[in-house]
């Protein structure tokens, strides 16, 4: 591959685009010119010709000089921070901080040897000021005073270290991980909902003494079918999917007259009949029935006090909520992909969109109401978890991004790169790379927006959660950008200001008293794990992936203390299915194996033979034991013997499920994210049956035995 030209390389460096990377075979690989040009175009930079590239580089060099203050300054509490301000040459200037909670602190100027510079025909000087290190944590305003007027920007003071929330004390904790939609009760509408979440938390906390419940992302999907089944490809990460609402638990349901209650009951009965015998979670059918019921309840109206509560929620969410709701209504008129809408509706700030929102004000209010109701039921679920004695309660899962046709991409506009999708470079399992179809945030626009969209998203996810799992936490450091029309192999890494993004994540978690876990599996630069540990963010250790230098399973004593240790993940089969080699046979049926079925089975058998040996040697598994359920328990004894402060058990493992929730590399070839929770016999389990599961009780006994070193030891 030809080397990238120098001007393009300098321009790439200025915008955080890596022009080379280490591939999965350990080779240093260069990125092509066309990839860099495509990524720059996604940031609104024209580098299609040498002349355009030179001009763009010259403009970039003047960017910071055209600003009186940095767009956003993020610093750690306890550290003094120097900033450069730009004023007309020779003009006096002073800087102070206006604190979030009131008050003022002065910054002081230090000597600066940077020469004056001609910026757009005016000589501009740079003065350096030092911000004191003893500022309180929070979102403050940095104010520059000059004779020609004042300028101000955002200053964020973040925790140096997060660590464990006070609610944990010095205790070790464990919890269940589950895909909420798969856990259906007798009263839910065809999939697990927020009321089921609260009930599951009550059972987990009071009967099994678990301290948290990790759920799949509850982010909002499309407002009408076909609904995206993957919770990791949402329409909005800030708002909740109203699919998880339980209609009958909305207070206004109690006020319905007999005819309206009968109508809601008929909708549910018809849905139950339609879903009878189905082996999948049918989101489209569920949503069509549920939204009809929700409209009946919405039309009942609100009491005066309930209206006050709703208006307070709307005020707190601001304009973004109304824009999201407007998008939902626009989708019903013009289709799911907003990029194909009439031109006058492509920007939420257009007069035509305002007129549309006014014309359909009641419909817009309905989608606002749905978010308020979902937020209320999520709050009740967390309240139930804490009432059950859970130290953390609900732990939310934050997806990597949103789809390119999402509400967020419409609302936030050029905060997202245009004509770009996020994915992954080739690796051993996906040798053609991956395109996830997600729109990436632009690092430069995030800074200009003072990271407000990121702050709001994190705060929203932590509002009713005691913890946050960040999927693909490396996305706070870099993402693999793929220009439109190019294969995943022709992407490149684009770096983000991780100091700012991680810092803001920590600040929001600190305010919420929450735990943060970063999913750092796969190819991760070693320094990233060190950095996260130094900032008090837990990593993720999955037993199947943890290996020593000799290739054997890493001894549990060698696990990290600052990690969430588990046996499996949602991207792998439940442990019973994994041990039974179900996943290999499935991949064979789907034509995904690179070797023959017999070779893959033999390789897996050798791996499991090694595990059987080490588990037996440690006393976690009886000699010659062949029962899969016993092996599942032994694997969990392995992670319990680690120093990890947070342990995680999959609910699928607790009930003996063998069915895979997600088969990476497939879309409709396998019913990803549509598999109901099942028992060892493959038959779907209701939530009520989970409550009575002896298999789950046995696993909970293992998870609660924090001193385990051999079978039966307490």
């Amino acid at each position: 591959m030809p080397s990238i030209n120098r001007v393009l390389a300098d321009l790439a460096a200025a915008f955080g685009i890596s022009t080379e990377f280490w591939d999965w075979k350990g080779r240093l690989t260069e990125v092509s010119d066309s990839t860099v040009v495509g990524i720059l175009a996604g940031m609104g930079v024209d580098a299609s010709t040498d002349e355009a590239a030179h001009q763009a580089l010259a403009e970039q060099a003047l960017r910071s000089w055209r600003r009186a203050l940095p767009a956003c300054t993020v610093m750690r509490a306890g550290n003094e921070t120097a900033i450069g301000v730009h004023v007309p040459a020779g003009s006096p200037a002073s800087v102070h901080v206006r604190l979030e909670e009131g008050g003022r602190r002065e910054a002081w100027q230090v000597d600066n040897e940077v020469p004056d510079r001609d910026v757009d025909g005016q000589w501009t000087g740079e003065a350096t000021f030092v911000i004191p290190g003893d500022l309180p944590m929070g979102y403050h305003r940095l104010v520059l005073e000059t004779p020609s007027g004042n300028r101000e920007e955002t200053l964020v003071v973040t925790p140096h270290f997060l660590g464990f929330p006070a609610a944990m004390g010095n205790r070790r904790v464990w919890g269940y991980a589950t895909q909420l939609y798969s856990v259906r009760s007798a009263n839910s509408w065809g999939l697990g909902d927020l009321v089921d979440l609260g009930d599951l938390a009550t059972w987990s906390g009071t009967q099994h003494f678990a301290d948290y419940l990790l759920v799949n992302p509850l982010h909002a999907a499309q407002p009408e079918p076909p609904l995206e089944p993957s919770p990791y490809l949402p329409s909005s990460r800030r708002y909740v999917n109203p699919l998880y609402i339980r209609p009958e638990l909305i207070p206004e349901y109690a006020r319905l007259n007999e005819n309206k209650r009968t109508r809601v009951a008929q909708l549910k009965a018809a849905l139950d009949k339609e879903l009878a015998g189905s082996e999948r979670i049918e989101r489209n059918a569920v949503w069509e029935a549920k939204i009809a019921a929700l409209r009946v309840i919405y039309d009942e109206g609100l009491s005066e006090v309930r209206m006050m509560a709703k208006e307070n929620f709307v005020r707190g969410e601001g304009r973004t909520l109304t824009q999201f709701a407007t998008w939902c209504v626009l989708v019903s008129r013009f289709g799911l992909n907003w990029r194909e809408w009439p031109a006058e509706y492509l920007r939420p700030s257009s007069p035509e969109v305002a007129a549309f929102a006014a014309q359909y004000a009641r419909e817009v209010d309905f989608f606002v109401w749905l978010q308020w109701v979902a937020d209320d039921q999520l709050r009740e679920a967390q309240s139930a978890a804490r009432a059950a004695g859970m130290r953390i309660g609900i732990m939310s899962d934050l997806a990597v991004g949103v789809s390119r046709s999402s509400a967020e991409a419409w609302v936030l506009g050029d905060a997202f790169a245009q004509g770009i999708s996020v994915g992954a470079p080739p690796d051993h399992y996906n040798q053609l790379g991956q395109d996830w179809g997600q729109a990436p945030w632009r690092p430069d626009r995030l800074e200009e927006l003072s990271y407000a969209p990121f702050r709001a998203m994190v705060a929203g996810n932590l509002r009713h959660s005691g913890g946050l799992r960040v999927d693909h936490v490396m996305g706070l450091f870099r993402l693999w950008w793929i220009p439109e029309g190019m294969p995943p192999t022709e992407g490149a890494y684009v770096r983000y200001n991780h100091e700012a993004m991680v810092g803001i994540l920590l600040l929001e978690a600190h305010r919420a008293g929450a735990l943060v876990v970063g999913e750092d599996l796969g190819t991760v630069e070693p320094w990233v794990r060190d950095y996260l540990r130094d900032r008090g963010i837990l990593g993720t250790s999955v037993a199947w992936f943890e290996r020593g230098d000799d290739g054997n399973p890493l001894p549990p004593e060698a696990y990290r203390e600052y990690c969430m240790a588990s046996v499996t993940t949602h991207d792998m089969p439940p442990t019973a299915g994994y041990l039974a080699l179900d996943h290999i046979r499935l991949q064979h049926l789907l034509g995904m194996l690179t070797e023959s079925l017999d070779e893959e089975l033999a390789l897996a058998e050798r791996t499991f033979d090694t595990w059987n040996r080490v588990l037996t040697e440690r006393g976690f598994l009886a000699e010659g034991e062949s029962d899969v359920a016993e092996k599942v328990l032994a694997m969990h004894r392995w992670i319990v013997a680690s120093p990890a402060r947070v342990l995680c058990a999959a609910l699928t493992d607790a009930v003996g499920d063998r069915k895979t929730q997600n088969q990476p590399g497939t879309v409709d070839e396998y019913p990803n994210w549509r598999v109901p929770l099942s028992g060892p016999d493959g038959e779907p389990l209701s939530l009520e049956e989970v409550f009575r599961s002896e298999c789950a009780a046995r696993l909970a006994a293992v998870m609660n035995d924090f001193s385990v070193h051999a079978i039966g030891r307490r």
Side-chain angles (χ1 to χ4, degrees), residues 589-609:
L589 288 174
L590 296 173
M592 299 178 67
L593 295 181
T594 57
E595 306 293 340
S596 71
L597 175 61
D598 289 342
E599 288 175 312
E600 293 284 358
L601 289 173
L603 176 61
E605 289 284 10
R606 289 194 294 272
T607 299
F608 294 149
D609 285 344

Side-chain angles (χ1 to χ4, degrees), residues 210-341:
D211 276 308
Y212 69 87
L213 194 58
L214 170 61
V215 294
N216 58 278
L218 302 180
H219 308 322
Q222 298 90 335
E224 63 177 38
L227 303 185
E228 169 59 52
S230 173
Y232 292 91
L233 192 61
S235 181
S236 171
R237 292 186 290 173
R238 179 170 176 176
Y239 295 113
V240 179
N241 192 341
L243 186 67
Y244 292 114
I245 292 173
R246 175 76 64 84
E248 296 91 335
L249 266 290
I250 300 172
E252 282 66 44
Y253 174 80
R255 295 170 47 195
L256 297 181
N257 62 34
E258 184 176 351
N259 288 338
K260 291 180 179 179
R261 283 199 183 196
T262 299
R263 174 58 181 153
V264 172
Q266 289 172 339
L267 288 166
K268 187 174 186 302
L271 176 66
D272 290 341
K273 183 177 180 180
E274 180 181 353
L275 299 182
S278 175
E279 296 182 354
R280 298 185 180 185
I281 301 296
E282 303 289 354
R283 285 177 174 80
N284 294 336
V286 170
W287 182 231
E288 288 176 341
K290 188 173 283 190
I291 195 172
L294 290 168
R295 289 186 185 280
V296 172
I297 299 169
Y298 170 77
D299 288 341
E300 185 65 18
L302 299 173
S303 68
E304 186 175 4
V305 171
R306 288 276 288 168
M307 180 61 75
M308 293 177 191
K310 173 175 172 275
E311 289 175 348
N312 184 62
F313 174 77
V314 173
R315 278 195 302 271
E317 290 300 304
R319 182 178 59 181
T320 305
L321 174 58
T322 304
Q323 290 177 330
F324 170 76
T326 301
W327 174 84
C328 291
V329 182
L330 283 163
V331 161
S332 68
R333 301 297 187 274
F334 300 116
L336 289 171
N337 188 354
W338 63 266
R339 298 175 189 277
E340 298 174 355
W341 293 352

Side-chain angles (χ1 to χ4, degrees), residues 557 618-621 636-637 640-641 698 700-714:
E557 294 80 10
R618 295 295 296 264
F620 299 154
L621 184 68
H636 286 83
R637 293 186 182 104
V640 168
R698 293 181 66 200
V702 170
M703 300 304 292
N704 282 307
D705 189 2
F706 288 163
S707 63
V708 68
H709 288 288
I711 297 174
R713 178 174 176 180
R714 297 294 298 177

Side-chain angles (χ1 to χ4, degrees), residues 362-626:
R362 183 167 176 78
E363 188 70 2
V364 171
D365 184 66
F366 171 68
F367 284 98
V368 168
W369 176 82
L370 287 177
Q371 286 305 311
W372 173 57
V373 169
D375 184 83
D376 198 40
Q377 292 195 354
L378 183 55
R379 175 178 54 79
E380 289 295 331
Q382 173 66 351
S383 178
R386 299 309 293 265
M390 286 187 161
R391 292 174 178 265
I392 295 173
I394 307 303
M395 184 181 295
S396 300
D397 198 354
L398 182 63
V400 180
V402 293
S403 69
R404 295 178 60 192
S405 59
S406 66
E408 278 188 20
W410 180 74
V411 169
L412 296 173
D414 68 356
F416 287 93
Q418 305 301 308
I420 301 289
S421 62
V422 172
D427 59 27
H428 176 73
Y429 298 100
N430 296 278
Q431 297 185 18
L432 297 178
Q434 300 176 66
D435 187 335
W436 300 334
Q438 295 174 340
W441 268 330
R442 284 175 50 180
D444 57 330
R445 286 292 292 142
L446 275 180
E447 182 181 9
E448 290 168 5
L449 293 168
S450 300
Y451 297 91
F454 180 72
R455 289 158 47 187
M457 179 193 69
V458 173
N461 279 271
L462 285 170
R463 182 160 53 221
H464 305 307
S465 301
L468 186 67
R469 175 190 177 273
V470 181
D471 192 47
H472 192 70
V473 73
M474 293 80 76
L476 301 180
F477 296 78
R478 67 177 187 179
L479 283 173
W480 184 256
W481 286 27
I482 307 165
E484 190 172 15
M486 292 186 176
T489 52
E490 292 297 310
Y493 282 113
V494 175
R495 292 197 174 275
Y496 290 80
N497 185 342
H498 64 271
E499 183 71 17
M501 298 186 75
V502 171
I504 290 170
L505 172 63
L506 297 190
L507 177 57
E508 293 298 335
H510 170 77
R511 290 183 161 185
L515 179 74
V516 175
V517 178
E519 188 269 289
D520 58 353
L521 302 174
T523 304
V524 184
E525 297 166 292
W527 71 268
V528 169
R529 286 196 174 99
D530 293 338
Y531 178 88
L532 292 172
R533 169 62 180 82
D534 291 343
R535 298 302 300 271
I537 293 179
L538 277 66
T540 303
S541 292
V542 177
W544 297 124
F545 301 149
E546 293 289 332
R547 296 188 176 277
D549 294 337
D550 59 0
N552 288 321
L554 186 70
E557 294 80 10
Y559 280 35
R560 296 170 286 177
E561 177 189 4
Y562 270 71
C563 79
M564 173 187 281
S566 66
V567 175
T568 188
T569 77
H570 60 258
D571 283 327
M572 296 179 66
T575 303
Y578 196 64
L579 290 168
L581 307 178
D582 292 352
H583 60 298
I584 295 178
R585 296 184 180 90
L586 173 62
Q587 290 170 350
H588 173 67
L589 288 174
L590 296 173
M592 299 178 67
L593 295 181
T594 57
E595 306 293 340
S596 71
L597 175 61
D598 289 342
E599 288 175 312
E600 293 284 358
L601 289 173
L603 176 61
E605 289 284 10
R606 289 194 294 272
T607 299
F608 294 149
D609 285 344
T610 300
W611 270 105
N612 287 337
R613 174 177 55 81
V614 298
L615 290 169
T616 302
E617 290 174 351
R618 295 295 296 264
F620 299 154
L621 184 68
E623 184 76 36
E625 179 63 71
S626 60

